[in-house]
Amino acid sequence: MSFQVFGLPVSRGVAIGRAVLVASSRIDVAHYFIDEADAEQEIERLRAARDAVSDELSTLQRDLPADAPPELSALLDVHMMLLRDDALIVATKQWVRERHYNAEWALSAQLEVLARQFDEMEDDYLRERKADLEQVVERLLRAMGRGPSTSYAPAPGVSPRDFAGEDPLVLVANDIAPADMLQFKRSVFTGFVTDVGGKTSHTAIVARSMDIPAVVGAREASHLIRQDDWVVIDGDSGVVVVDPSPIVLEEYRFRQRQSGLERDRLSRLRHTPAVTLDGERVELQANIELPVDAPAALEAGAVGVGLFRSEFLFMNRGGELPGEEEQFEAYRDAVEAMKGLPVTIRTVDIGADKPLDRLSVHELRHEYTMNPALGLRAIRWSLSEPNMFRQQLRAILRAAALGKVRLLIPMVAHLGEVRQVLDALARAKQQLHEAGKPHGDVEVGAMIEVPAAALMLPTLLKHFDFVSIGTNDLIQYTLAIDRADEAVSHLYDPWHPAVLSLIARAIADARSAGKHVGVCGEMAGDPAFTDLLLAMGLRSFSMHPSRIASIKQRILRADTRLLFPHLDEVLSSDDPEAASERLFNRKQQQAAE
């Protein structure tokens, strides 16, 4: 039976495929694809785990005290029966052989299938046996976790697309951490759905970096959708259609084809300079997470990297932070890949919805605070870990010897922090000089993402070479909205007059001081805001590479002489979104004529 699930659209387009469920578990489960040649090795791991658990259960049964209640022995019998049931083990082997899942993922997938069967049983006693099955599976997962294979990374040289089968796949989960999203970034999945999340959570941002349709905040999606269900993800409207009828399916396939044609048309603009009708040159740069994203930025026509999110080098590493040499190699690769174009590297922005596997003493305390978005994150965390921070600064300075590198400091709010950052940078330079290691100079910029920084920008500009406005966090902190919480996501409003006023003020202050100013938040890649930001005087946008062409098209059709006179009217309106649509679109039509 066909039904719909509604959520928040976070990455545009339409995806159609069979559902792959990543079930939530009390045990962390590695999800990765294996090479076909390694299938028997994974099955052997599963067999070894089953033998180990069987021995554990047999030992427990043998060592039961004489006065133990008979129900306990019966329970162990049930667990042993489930452990030997072909519906669990044989079917799990099929997931390994046919889908090339690693053993843990295959076992979790089969648990999801069997759990639904138990839920549908009418007999109360049988339905309650689902808990026993879950306990057996957790024993198996723990047994496999004691083995040598615990990596979350795909097997070296493995391309999941080579053995995914003919049907496209979509990912369905309760939530996907940003670091885990990177594991799927170039994998077989054509779209994804999560129960939780907001439009500008970092999970959503990474989804857009994958340039595939996605819907988050779909509440019960992972409980309503079954393994292998046909699913349509409408990333434009936030609708997920499960088991669509043939007519609905054909309609969405038509939309897929139309979307592909539109992308091909826009791709022809990638080497066209971004210049408005009245001759204003606009800088379109790219946001990237890892060095391997840089070639896509060049291919999209970016004139530099406006935001390298260095924290993704720190995630999903089993508790080990990258050292100076590893970071230098990553920054070097990005700088070299951009072929002389500038690269802006943001120092690690850890905290809130981007936690590390490894927690310091400070973070352990912070982890249990009521709101981690207001705790030890971004530059606050870096300054609390001086050795780590100096390592990162040294790596960035060394990369600056190979090309133009800018250093961006996230979540600046206090002059005391500014002084500490500049002192740390000076010490890092001195250390490199004493070690005889080549290094270059960097422009230092502040990320404006808290209201305090926007309001005191003229003072901050005395210490910085440039500023970059992070609209995602600026909206969050201005409106007191946790952008990752779907319960309040409807209040997250980039059109809020207070937000627009802060952005306009920051742009004006930077331009007045003769300092470069850009926007690197999600608003930069949203065509609905392009005209407004141009009217504010913005001439530097940074966004995901996939958004560059559509923003460039908007810029090529804009005339800032017609936009600027209406800026005050839009900013003073009770409904800036409607005013922007009415005033700017009318002027754009006049310019086009």
Side-chain angles (χ1 to χ4, degrees):
M1 181 183 72
S2 179
F3 63 92
Q4 294 181 339
V5 180
F6 298 92
L8 301 171
V10 295
S11 188
R12 299 174 180 178
V14 172
I16 302 171
R18 289 194 178 276
V20 174
L21 269 72
V22 177
S24 57
S25 171
R26 284 172 286 184
I27 297 178
D28 289 333
V29 176
H31 298 84
Y32 57 91
F33 290 97
I34 62 168
D35 196 343
E36 186 173 8
D38 295 332
E40 292 308 315
Q41 180 181 340
E42 287 297 294
I43 288 172
E44 178 57 35
R45 291 182 59 230
L46 180 64
R47 186 181 297 115
R50 182 180 62 176
D51 292 344
V53 172
S54 178
D55 290 344
E56 289 175 4
L57 294 176
S58 296
T59 300
L60 287 172
Q61 187 102 9
R62 185 186 65 236
D63 294 343
L64 281 176
D67 58 349
E71 291 83 5
L72 186 54
S73 178
L75 177 63
L76 291 173
D77 287 337
V78 169
H79 283 205
M80 187 69 80
M81 178 188 68
L82 291 170
L83 181 66
R84 295 170 178 166
D85 193 335
D86 287 349
L88 178 63
I89 301 300
V90 173
T92 299
K93 293 177 182 178
Q94 288 180 315
W95 288 106
V96 174
R97 290 193 175 107
E98 296 175 7
R99 284 286 182 85
H100 298 87
Y101 292 175
N102 66 300
E104 291 90 343
W105 189 0
L107 187 60
S108 298
Q110 185 57 20
L111 170 62
E112 184 72 23
V113 171
L114 295 176
R116 291 183 184 279
Q117 293 177 6
F118 276 103
D119 287 338
E120 292 172 354
M121 292 178 179
E122 295 184 2
D123 186 277
D124 291 340
Y125 174 81
L126 292 176
R127 193 162 55 243
E128 290 300 318
R129 299 285 64 77
K130 182 178 80 168
D132 296 316
L133 176 66
E134 290 172 340
Q135 292 169 14
V136 169
V137 168
E138 288 198 8
R139 281 183 177 274
L140 286 167
L141 290 172
R142 287 194 181 96
M144 282 189 283
R146 293 192 289 267
S149 178
T150 57
S151 172
Y152 277 74
V158 174
S159 174
R161 295 186 184 278
D162 294 340
F163 41 74
E166 294 183 2
D167 294 336
L169 303 178
V170 298
L171 188 66
V172 181
N174 175 259
D175 193 16
I176 309 172
D180 292 336
M181 285 292 301
L182 293 179
Q183 305 298 342
F184 300 122
K185 191 165 186 176
R186 287 169 180 82
S187 73
V188 69
F189 301 110
T190 60
F192 83 88
V193 184
T194 63
D195 296 343
V196 301
K199 282 189 175 182
T200 54
S201 63
H202 278 86
T203 299
I205 292 170
V206 177
R208 281 187 286 276
S209 80
M210 295 167 65
D211 196 21
I212 62 173
V215 173
V216 302
R219 298 302 178 100
E220 297 296 315
S222 68
H223 299 288
L224 297 172
I225 300 172
R226 301 167 183 266
Q227 289 279 5
D228 276 347
D229 276 351
W230 276 103
V231 173
V232 173
I233 300 174
D234 187 341
D236 297 310
S237 63
V239 176
V240 179
V241 184
V242 184
D243 286 333
S245 67
I247 294 176
V248 171
L249 192 58
E250 183 53 38
E251 178 184 344
Y252 276 108
R253 282 177 173 155
F254 173 77
R255 285 182 52 186
Q256 269 188 323
R257 293 191 292 271
Q258 292 297 108
S259 178
L261 291 172
E262 175 66 12
R263 289 189 183 195
D264 290 342
R265 187 180 64 80
L266 286 175
S267 69
R268 299 170 194 160
L269 298 175
R270 63 181 179 274
H271 298 308
T272 302
V275 182
T276 65
L277 292 174
D278 56 319
E280 290 286 323
R281 299 188 69 86
V282 180
E283 181 181 73
L284 296 183
Q285 297 187 316
N287 297 342
I288 66 172
E289 281 80 44
L290 294 170
V292 293
D293 300 329
L298 275 181
E299 179 63 22
V303 297
V305 170
L307 177 62
F308 182 156
R309 298 184 175 100
S310 68
E311 57 270 15
F312 286 94
L313 298 174
F314 289 67
M315 292 181 174
N316 216 23
R317 302 174 53 89
E320 293 297 325
L321 298 184
E324 178 183 331
E325 200 62 32
E326 182 180 347
Q327 288 189 66
F328 163 67
E329 291 173 0
Y331 305 143
R332 176 200 64 196
D333 291 347
V335 169
E336 292 178 346
M338 291 306 293
K339 303 183 185 303
L341 296 173
V343 176
T344 301
I345 302 173
R346 181 175 69 185
T347 59
V348 59
D349 186 5
I350 288 298
D353 63 344
K354 294 179 294 180
L356 285 181
D357 300 326
R358 163 190 174 276
L359 295 177
S360 68
V361 174
H362 296 294
E363 288 170 289
L364 283 169
R365 184 166 60 247
H366 162 61
E367 183 75 3
Y368 297 100
T369 60
M370 292 299 290
N371 191 336
L374 300 180
L376 191 67
R377 60 164 296 196
I379 192 58
R380 302 170 182 176
W381 184 79
S382 293
L383 292 174
S384 76
E385 299 278 355
N387 291 333
M388 179 284 302
F389 190 40
R390 279 195 293 273
Q391 282 187 347
Q392 181 170 40
L393 293 177
R394 289 195 299 266
I396 293 172
L397 287 167
R398 290 170 62 190
L402 306 172
K404 185 173 183 180
V405 174
R406 295 169 176 156
L407 178 67
L408 183 60
I409 309 302
M411 207 174 170
V412 171
H414 299 273
L415 282 179
E417 294 170 338
V418 175
R419 296 188 185 99
Q420 290 181 68
V421 168
L422 297 178
D423 286 347
L425 185 62
R427 286 197 297 273
K429 286 181 179 179
Q430 182 63 29
Q431 289 170 345
L432 290 172
H433 178 73
E434 292 173 355
K437 292 183 177 180
H439 61 281
D441 291 323
V442 294
E443 293 182 351
V444 183
M447 202 162 180
I448 307 303
E449 47 193 339
V450 296
L455 293 172
M456 66 178 294
L457 188 53
T459 302
L460 291 176
L461 286 169
K462 297 174 184 177
H463 304 275
F464 289 103
D465 301 305
F466 69 98
V467 293
S468 185
I469 303 172
T471 55
N472 306 338
D473 272 331
L474 185 60
I475 297 166
Q476 169 175 254
Y477 292 121
T478 301
L479 302 181
I481 299 298
D482 184 347
R483 59 195 176 101
D485 186 350
E486 74 278 6
V488 293
S489 61
H490 62 287
L491 297 174
Y492 184 94
D493 181 14
W495 286 103
H496 194 287
V499 171
L500 297 181
S501 178
L502 285 174
I503 294 172
R505 175 174 178 164
I507 293 172
D509 286 345
R511 285 172 62 92
S512 177
K515 299 293 179 74
H516 180 277
V517 56
V519 168
C520 62
E522 291 297 292
M523 287 174 66
D526 188 341
F529 292 96
T530 304
D531 294 342
L532 178 59
L533 292 172
L534 288 172
M536 291 178 181
L538 186 71
R539 298 296 181 263
S540 180
F541 297 66
S542 189
M543 67 206 73
H544 182 264
S546 67
R547 306 303 305 151
I548 289 177
S550 59
I551 299 302
K552 183 180 291 186
Q553 180 184 61
R554 190 85 180 190
I555 289 169
L556 293 172
R557 296 174 178 176
D559 188 328
T560 61
R561 294 170 303 184
L562 301 178
L563 298 175
F564 179 74
H566 296 280
L567 177 61
D568 289 341
E569 188 174 349
V570 172
L571 295 180
S572 62
S573 171
D574 292 337
D575 189 350
E577 183 175 9
S580 176
E581 178 74 17
R582 183 180 72 255
L583 294 168
F584 290 156
N585 274 6
R586 187 175 66 203
K587 292 303 176 185
Q588 295 290 49
Q589 289 172 3
Q590 292 176 5
E593 293 171 358

